[in-house]
Amino acid sequence: MSAPLPIVAVVGRPNVGKSTLFNRLVRKRLALVYDEPGVTRDRHYAEAWSLGRGYLLVDTGGLDPESDDPMRQRIGEQVEIAVQEADVVVCVLDSTTGAIDADRQAVQMLRRSEKPVIYVANKADGPEGEALAADLYRLGLDRVIAISALHGRGIAELEKSIVESLPPAPETAEEEQEAKTPENVPRIAIIGRPNAGKSSLVNRLAGEERMLVDNVAGTTRDAVDTEIVRDGKRIVLVDTAGIRRKGKVRKEANAIEAASVLIAVRAIERCDIAVLVCDAAEGVAEQDAKILGLAVDRGCGIVIALNKLDLLEEVRRKKLEEDARDKLSFVPWAPIVPVSAATGRGVGNLVSTVSRVHEAYRKRITTGELNRFFEQVLSIRPPPTQGGRAPRLYYVTQAQTSPPLFVVMTNEPEHIHFSYQRFVVNQLRKAFGFEGVPLKVVYKKRRRRGDDRK
């Protein structure tokens, strides 16, 4: 097992540029950035590399100690958890506003944590900004690094300070190489409509309150990675923003939510499995099918979780499962698992189902096995004649996994009827157990000698 990466938490009051700095350090646009206080709410994790050292960077919500808003107070609790987890803390201050009471309280909280803290004055876009940053020394700080997260000014000095503050690196080259070696850790996207219980499910799986949970739809805005260990296996859960109909987003003119939807879609693209969380109390809706279609189109393995079953009677649960299967009929191969994130009922079954789907997602069938299977298929049902042409299927091979892709060599690829193509896919599932996995079979024309002659 590789050595755990040290953790660096980015903290500060709202709208000082924490998410912009997070994106700058990880060199990717992962965190949601918008010119409005309070956009980042949950802890957001990503790997970063500086001067040859790897670390896990954590973006946090804005600290606002003076606010009596319950949501703000819960964000503060999440920030304190991130600081407790961290090996190093980067406290972001705003050079354009100077030191204010909220900054002073944040500094006091960080001093109590007894963690190594690097203070940076963001938005110092030039010499004038650096001069304004000097006002922050009134907070009693020994050193403040003037930076511009937007333009990259001062980032090299910050990265050097981060690396110097990290715990010692592995002593041997072998340990260092092991720490850099990526593991086959399944990435699971938790998707669905707003307020379906996605964050509650992540918290139940993680065994702690990693995500903010609220009855108000849209609490989660970023796609947030959470690594957990279940039955001795590592899993990365990606909690995504609830996806509403495009028309509804436009009508409300909510640019933040529109960006959240984009992040959710991008999160699906980098995951192996998508777990669609449906609100059992409301039933499966058309929007659930559209969201699921996004995941299928992007080649994810699929598991459907019917959440909030604790609110329903047994008879209604069975009716709901039948209704879900009917409305999501385009994925008859996807398993449906009733769960209750609130009570934990069915969560163990969900984890084992996800594990089976991930194994199927990465499954590779040898060419020998495939062609013995294909001989049986052809003996049962050869491809029908189309347009007076009789297609012949020569052999089949698996071109890739994750998701599985099969290539069939034939003399007439354009004359393989779609119903026969569907039959072949169904037979592959039946023979090799591709539960919850989108299968693709491509028919290619076999080249003969002289085909390339002009």
Side-chain angles (χ1 to χ4, degrees), residues 40 135 150 218 258 264 277 300 327 336 361 396-397:
T40 299
D135 180 68
L150 184 62
V277 181
C300 289
K327 290 184 178 178
I336 296 178
Y361 190 74
V396 60
T397 186

Side-chain angles (χ1 to χ4, degrees), residues 130 140 200 252 345 387:
E130 290 187 13
S200 296
E252 295 182 3
R345 182 176 176 184

Side-chain angles (χ1 to χ4, degrees), residues 358-377:
H358 185 254
E359 288 178 8
Y361 190 74
R362 296 184 56 82
K363 183 182 293 185
R364 180 173 291 279
I365 312 300
T366 66
T367 301
E369 286 181 281
L370 280 172
N371 284 288
R372 286 191 293 273
F373 149 80
F374 224 55
E375 287 176 4
Q376 295 177 352
V377 170

Side-chain angles (χ1 to χ4, degrees), residues 92 133 176 187 228 231 334 356 361 448:
V92 184
E176 181 67 27
R187 299 182 62 85
I228 66 171
D231 300 326
R356 290 198 310 271
Y361 190 74
R448 297 179 180 177

